[in-house]
Amino acid sequence: MASQHRKPRSAGTRVTGIRTPGLATAALTSVALLSQTANAAPSDDGKPSLEEVEKKVDDLYRQAESATEKYNAAQEKTTKQRKLVDGLLDNVAQGAQKLNEAREKLGSYAAAQYRTGASAPDTAAFLLADTPQDYFDQNQLMSRLTERQKGAVDDYVTERSATVKQRQEATESLATLTDSQNDLRTAKATVQKKLGAARELLSQLTAQEKARLAAIEKQRQEEAADRAAELARRQAAEQAAARQESGGTSSGTVSSSTAPSGSTSTSTSTSQDSSYATKAEKALAFARAQIGKPYVWGATGPDSYDCSGLTQATWKAAGVTLPRTTYDQVNAGTTVSLADARPGDLVFFYDDLSHVGVYIGNGMMIHAPKPGAYVREESVFYDGESGIHSVVRPA
């Protein structure tokens, strides 16, 4: 799946941002702290180094997020299966009622015939038997039934067959529901286990180690911001070139005054672009309003979100329905290259598609990052370029 969605990435030339003296001092401090960390030898007491702790915590968060998407999928499946089972059980109850009514009608016919002597006792046995179809082919009995009575027998046989089928479907669906509930419990336990292990590792850090870890994170964010700015410059240059090539129109497409006759495809493309931009504007307005809300695994709002819960709610605000999980959201649109990403596009991460954010332009996105963090704007390169799996345009 990863090979199908991963797009070739432009190498580009790294462009470093200009720092003020104050920022330069902060950067030097960060570098000094990072140098201490990088040169730190393993402790004599066998404790893992800070680098090992950082990598382990990041891995645990990644695994927890992957398990969260499995939990979301299992929860969605369980909800759908429960609705199906409820509907089937209702059908079984209605079928049983109809079956009882048909049985009562047959019983009244048999009792009436028996009282009047119109039929032999074996006719009553036929009418009240559990499998009346076994007697259906006996011409001597069928000849004694009126058309109305034959219709009652037909109704009984039909209802009995339908009820048996419905009960079988309900039984099978209940078994599937049980499997889905087991998957849900397993995924939930996995998430809690990974998060618990990460919290345990972090709780063992000293204040100095936590400060050094924060410096590492800050340095990583600055590098990611530089990469985002580089992407923004490339995109701006490509858009300017496209405008120049198309005759200087601001939208990057051929204007109506310069377009050759019969350029229906160009007009259609322009209309589609405008429609997408309008929807994306609504989606991004919603996403920005969620900034600062906590990441909670399995959450879909309005007070907290996980990553796919946020993207689903974001596009729902623009009238577009997305599936619940990253595994399904990645197939809910058109895959484009990172260089062609537009505000509103979904950016997916890692080969297991365990994370997603919504692109806002200039190499930045809004996402629900991880447990313990809050919805925020961040560079799409927050975990390096290799972490980016694909970009999808959902509408």
Side-chain angles (χ1 to χ4, degrees):
M1 186 181 207
S3 62
Q4 295 175 350
H5 292 283
R6 191 182 296 277
K7 295 294 179 182
R9 304 178 177 89
S10 303
T13 302
R14 183 178 177 81
V15 180
T16 305
I18 300 175
R19 301 182 187 277
T20 63
L23 289 176
T25 302
L28 288 173
T29 303
S30 297
V31 170
L33 287 170
L34 290 171
S35 299
Q36 295 174 16
T37 301
N39 297 326
S43 60
D44 296 335
D45 58 5
K47 288 179 59 178
S49 67
L50 188 59
E51 295 88 348
E52 291 172 334
V53 171
E54 181 199 20
K55 184 179 184 306
K56 183 64 175 177
V57 169
D58 286 345
D59 287 345
L60 286 168
Y61 280 146
R62 279 274 313 280
Q63 293 168 21
E65 196 162 31
S66 180
T68 295
E69 290 305 313
K70 293 178 181 178
Y71 170 86
N72 293 338
Q75 186 179 49
E76 187 175 43
K77 183 177 180 181
T78 298
T79 299
K80 290 179 179 179
Q81 199 64 34
R82 183 177 288 113
K83 290 181 179 178
L84 178 61
V85 168
D86 289 344
L88 288 171
L89 291 176
D90 287 342
N91 291 339
V92 168
Q94 294 173 6
Q97 178 63 29
K98 291 180 180 179
L99 184 63
N100 289 335
E101 291 173 357
R103 187 190 296 271
E104 290 175 2
K105 184 179 291 185
L106 288 178
S108 65
Y109 287 150
Q113 287 184 332
Y114 187 76
R115 284 195 304 271
T116 60
S119 63
D122 57 351
T123 303
F126 159 66
L127 293 173
L128 297 175
D130 289 334
T131 57
Q133 187 63 44
D134 293 344
Y135 293 89
F136 235 21
D137 296 330
Q138 299 181 31
N139 293 331
Q140 66 275 22
L141 289 176
M142 291 299 295
S143 63
R144 299 175 187 174
L145 298 176
T146 65
E147 287 300 322
R148 186 176 179 183
Q149 291 170 337
K150 289 179 181 179
V153 172
D154 289 338
D155 291 344
Y156 175 80
V157 172
T158 300
E159 292 298 338
R160 186 176 187 279
S161 177
T163 301
V164 169
K165 182 179 180 181
Q166 289 168 348
R167 284 173 177 166
Q168 182 178 359
E169 290 176 351
T171 300
E172 293 172 354
S173 293
L174 281 170
T176 303
L177 176 59
T178 300
D179 291 340
S180 298
Q181 290 172 329
N182 290 336
D183 292 341
L184 189 63
R185 282 191 288 268
T186 299
K188 182 177 181 179
T190 300
V191 173
Q192 293 173 332
K193 180 179 179 181
K194 300 298 182 183
L195 294 181
R199 285 191 291 266
E200 177 65 21
L201 282 172
L202 291 173
S203 69
Q204 296 173 3
L205 296 179
T206 64
Q208 183 181 11
E209 288 172 332
K210 290 178 180 178
R212 286 160 57 192
L213 197 60
I216 292 174
E217 178 68 18
K218 181 180 178 181
Q219 179 72 12
R220 182 185 297 173
Q221 290 175 350
E222 290 175 349
E223 292 175 353
D226 287 344
R227 296 295 301 275
E230 178 186 340
L231 174 61
R233 293 187 188 97
R234 291 204 310 266
Q235 290 177 329
E238 291 172 0
Q239 290 170 4
R243 286 196 298 269
Q244 185 176 5
E245 183 178 351
S246 63
T249 59
S250 60
S251 63
T253 58
V254 180
S255 67
S256 58
S257 60
T258 61
S261 60
S263 58
T264 306
S265 60
T266 301
S267 300
T268 302
S269 176
T270 303
S271 176
Q272 291 175 343
D273 291 347
S274 177
S275 174
Y276 181 76
T278 300
K279 293 178 181 178
E281 186 176 356
K282 292 180 180 178
L284 293 181
F286 177 88
R288 289 189 175 94
Q290 311 314 306
I291 291 176
K293 293 183 179 181
Y295 175 104
V296 174
W297 66 272
T300 57
D303 299 322
S304 58
Y305 298 90
D306 63 17
C307 67
S308 57
L310 176 63
T311 52
Q312 184 187 46
T314 291
W315 271 102
K316 183 179 180 181
V320 177
T321 300
L322 292 181
R324 174 64 182 94
T325 67
T326 54
Y327 315 129
D328 293 326
Q329 288 183 9
V330 76
N331 296 316
T334 303
T335 302
V336 298
S337 68
L338 180 60
D340 292 331
R342 297 180 186 175
D345 291 351
L346 302 179
V347 186
F348 294 88
F349 296 85
Y350 314 119
D351 289 339
D352 62 356
L353 296 168
S354 57
H355 190 67
V356 63
V358 58
Y359 191 66
I360 61 174
N362 296 326
M364 303 293 287
M365 66 177 175
I366 294 175
H367 69 148
K370 59 186 178 181
Y374 298 84
V375 175
R376 67 193 183 202
E377 289 188 13
E378 192 163 23
S379 168
V380 296
F381 300 104
Y382 81 105
D383 201 19
E385 187 171 4
S386 63
I388 300 174
H389 176 277
S390 55
V391 181
V392 171
R393 189 157 299 148

